[in-house]
Amino acid sequence: MKFGGTSVEDATAIDRVASIVKARLSEHPFVVVSAMAKVTDQLLAMAAAAGRGEREQALDICRSLRERHYTTAGELLGTGLHTDLHSELGAEFDSLDELLRGIAAVGELTPRTSDYVVSFGERLSSMIATPAFLARDIPATLIDARQLIITDTQHSRAVPQVDEINDRLDRIRPLIEKGRVPIMGGFIGATREGVPTTIGRGGSDFSAALVGAGLNAERIEIWTDVDGMKTTDPRICADARRIKVISFEEAAELAYFGAKVLHPATVLPAVEKNIPVLVLNSRNPDNQGTRILSRTPRSRSLFKAIAAKNRITIIEIVAARMLMAHGFLAKVFEIFARHRCAVDVVSTSEVSISLTVDSNEAIPQIAADLEPLAFVKYSGRKAIVCMVGENIRETAGVAAQVFDAIRDINVRMISQGASEINLTFVIDEADVPEAVRRLHARFFAEVDPEVFD
Ligand code: ASP
Ligand code: MG
């Protein structure tokens, strides 16, 4: 059971989490918690401030963080009673202050030190949750992620060493069998030498998947603050439905579109072992959420979801010399790679390439580098719309149905087939709400009740 930042954001939230865990005790849960909401951002901000030599600013942010954790602990456990926790938290914050002073004195923030600062977030939240659970009759045992999630040394996106982790999980298994409930901070780990590392933003899901896969869990529950995944953005379409079950591949296609619920890549270790991943709402625990499976049963609906991503730029590259040449695409993409610019949708004709990027800063520079090769034009304020569903693989006339529903909207690029489970096209940002509403009405008015709520 993994609880994200908003699920542990304050005493009320942690109290709710305790009730949720308590209801599952007979199933032997292992609990992973994120840092309290926004804490990772604040730790990064204070580390950056210290790195610029702005000592007081760094210590200021740290002070407010200290207050927040003290308050939360106090509200959960009552003051006086748990002076132990208070002094433990105090010691952590003292060493964090110390660390920030050190960084500020040197005026340089290394990736290694940044990870060390950031690791406080999950350590603190798990330190508070453990006695709070104990006080609520959950036999919790705090697990130090640095002793379990062993990684390589690539700070800020360290790679977990699965065999080593599984060995260590084997040592925890007897504890779980005896009825103890391990609680561990997500997102952080350590090298074999014990140097703290982090495994990428949003990494607590990844931690949960590593643990769940290593323990061969029956399921992994990702507890967040929404009722699972929806058929489309409910801010655009008030009648968006909850997706009850979705395949890993489909969920992965949607991830790019800011379906912020979770990044499926992070739960891959679980999915590879056929362990279902459930996305659930800690504010509404009775809701069934969304179940992500490696394979889903056949559904009667063509699509699972419609996603849109704004702030896209189309880059058109026209080169007559591309005609019958080889190696041209390689040259073009090499330029994007050099500028660390990710390309999303691509379509090519004999003498031109259109592609989309979602970051704008590098575009002028990229255009300049492309200049000797080709004529370049770019147009911003575009959006990618992506319709996802495994059934489109075997259905004829899908494109006709989709583009008929939006026949008066100008479509600038189309791509289908790469993954066989999505139909993607690019339109003006301004057309997105209308297009999404029409497509949703067309494809989700009547749906398979097994798949949608
Ligand atoms: N606290 C980390 C972050 O904000 C990890 C997580 O929440 O999953 O990125
Ligand atoms: Mg998260």
Side-chain angles (χ1 to χ4, degrees):
M1 304 177 74
K2 177 262 173 172
F3 295 91
T6 53
S7 297
V8 294
E9 66 186 352
D10 55 22
T12 316
I14 296 173
D15 187 52
R16 240 175 350 232
V17 164
S19 330
I20 294 169
V21 171
K22 215 167 161 181
R24 301 271 203 273
L25 283 185
S26 64
E27 297 185 273
H28 298 286
F30 184 117
V31 175
V32 174
V33 290
S34 286
M36 295 169 72
K38 305 258 155 61
V39 167
T40 304
D41 289 337
Q42 286 165 335
L43 287 164
L44 284 167
M46 66 180 86
R52 291 189 303 265
E54 293 163 13
R55 192 179 92 144
E56 289 317 308
Q57 201 197 328
L59 291 173
D60 266 354
I61 313 176
C62 193
R63 206 167 298 127
S64 71
L65 214 60
R66 185 192 286 253
E67 278 313 307
R68 181 167 167 210
H69 283 81
Y70 281 176
T71 307
T72 306
E75 285 172 10
L76 280 164
L77 293 154
T79 38
L81 255 170
H82 288 269
T83 43
D84 272 4
L85 176 60
H86 197 275
S87 57
E88 275 170 45
L89 291 175
E92 290 294 330
F93 277 106
D94 290 347
S95 70
L96 182 53
D97 282 347
E98 194 71 28
L99 187 58
L100 292 169
R101 287 194 194 95
I103 298 168
V106 182
E108 188 198 2
L109 179 69
T110 64
R112 173 173 166 155
T113 314
S114 174
D115 266 4
Y116 188 23
V117 171
V118 164
S119 76
F120 277 81
E122 269 72 8
R123 276 176 32 227
L124 290 161
S125 63
S126 56
M127 269 173 70
I128 292 175
T130 307
F133 276 26
L134 287 168
R136 286 157 181 76
D137 293 325
I138 298 167
T141 299
L142 181 60
I143 303 284
D144 187 340
R146 292 169 298 179
Q147 314 212 337
L148 180 62
I149 305 297
I150 304 305
T151 71
D152 69 5
T153 59
Q154 294 179 57
H155 285 284
S156 88
R157 19 182 84 247
V159 179
Q161 308 296 298
V162 174
D163 291 338
E164 181 87 40
I165 293 169
N166 288 350
D167 281 348
R168 294 177 185 229
L169 277 169
D170 281 340
R171 284 177 243 156
I172 292 177
R173 203 186 297 271
L175 200 79
I176 303 173
E177 278 158 10
K178 268 189 275 168
R180 304 294 306 181
V181 176
I183 305 188
M184 182 187 84
F187 176 53
I188 58 179
T191 64
R192 283 199 184 82
E193 290 70 41
V195 179
T197 53
T198 59
I199 58 175
R201 289 306 304 268
S204 295
D205 297 336
F206 194 11
S207 306
L210 289 164
V211 170
L215 291 172
N216 281 312
E218 208 163 283
R219 61 177 186 278
I220 292 177
E221 297 182 349
I222 303 291
W223 290 85
T224 170
D225 57 359
V226 290
D227 293 337
M229 303 176 77
K230 295 264 170 137
T231 49
T232 196
D233 185 343
R235 285 166 306 183
I236 297 180
C237 243
D239 54 355
R241 294 164 184 268
R242 174 171 60 91
I243 306 171
K244 291 186 190 169
V245 54
I246 190 165
S247 75
F248 173 77
E249 242 190 300
E250 290 169 330
E253 288 289 349
L254 291 169
Y256 165 73
F257 296 92
K260 277 173 220 76
V261 181
L262 95 165
H263 198 297
T266 62
V267 298
L268 192 57
V271 173
E272 278 173 341
K273 282 190 133 181
N274 264 322
I275 301 173
V277 176
L278 274 71
V279 179
L280 297 162
N281 186 354
S282 66
R283 296 195 181 133
N284 185 18
D286 292 332
N287 188 279
Q288 308 276 289
T290 298
R291 175 181 284 264
I292 303 172
L293 303 174
S294 44
R295 247 174 305 283
T296 52
R298 208 133 184 59
S299 95
R300 282 186 277 119
S301 301
L302 192 50
F303 292 109
K304 289 283 168 54
I306 307 170
K309 190 176 175 85
N310 286 337
R311 302 169 55 88
I312 295 295
T313 298
I314 296 182
I315 303 184
E316 275 171 88
I317 301 160
V318 184
R321 75 176 74 162
M322 192 170 134
L323 189 67
M324 311 189 81
H326 55 80
F328 188 76
L329 288 177
K331 282 191 202 115
V332 166
F333 283 109
E334 190 277 317
I335 291 169
F336 284 87
R338 199 185 320 138
H339 291 281
R340 297 173 163 280
C341 183
V343 172
D344 298 307
V345 184
V346 181
S347 54
T348 67
S349 77
E350 199 43 53
V351 292
S352 67
I353 314 169
S354 295
L355 44 81
T356 68
V357 298
D358 64 356
S359 77
N360 293 331
E361 294 144 39
I363 293 173
Q365 199 46 53
I366 290 171
D369 287 2
L370 286 167
E371 206 70 356
L373 295 179
F375 174 71
V376 182
K377 229 174 37 184
Y378 49 94
S379 38
R381 300 197 146 275
K382 300 288 176 268
I384 297 178
V385 178
C386 173
M387 311 207 32
V388 174
E390 287 185 333
N391 279 354
I392 66 179
R393 203 175 256 157
E394 279 128 40
T395 312
V398 173
Q401 289 183 54
V402 168
F403 295 118
D404 181 54
I406 54 164
R407 61 182 162 290
D408 52 337
I409 290 174
N410 188 21
V411 175
R412 292 285 308 269
M413 282 172 72
I414 300 175
S415 147
Q416 188 196 352
S419 77
E420 289 195 300
I421 66 163
N422 81 69
L423 172 66
T424 298
F425 54 91
V426 182
I427 58 178
D428 281 342
E429 219 175 70
D431 290 330
V432 166
E434 179 63 22
V436 169
R437 274 193 283 266
R438 274 201 236 158
L439 291 164
H440 198 269
R442 171 74 183 73
F443 294 102
F444 292 93
E446 263 170 55
V447 289
D448 186 342
E450 298 287 310
V451 181
F452 304 96
D453 199 11

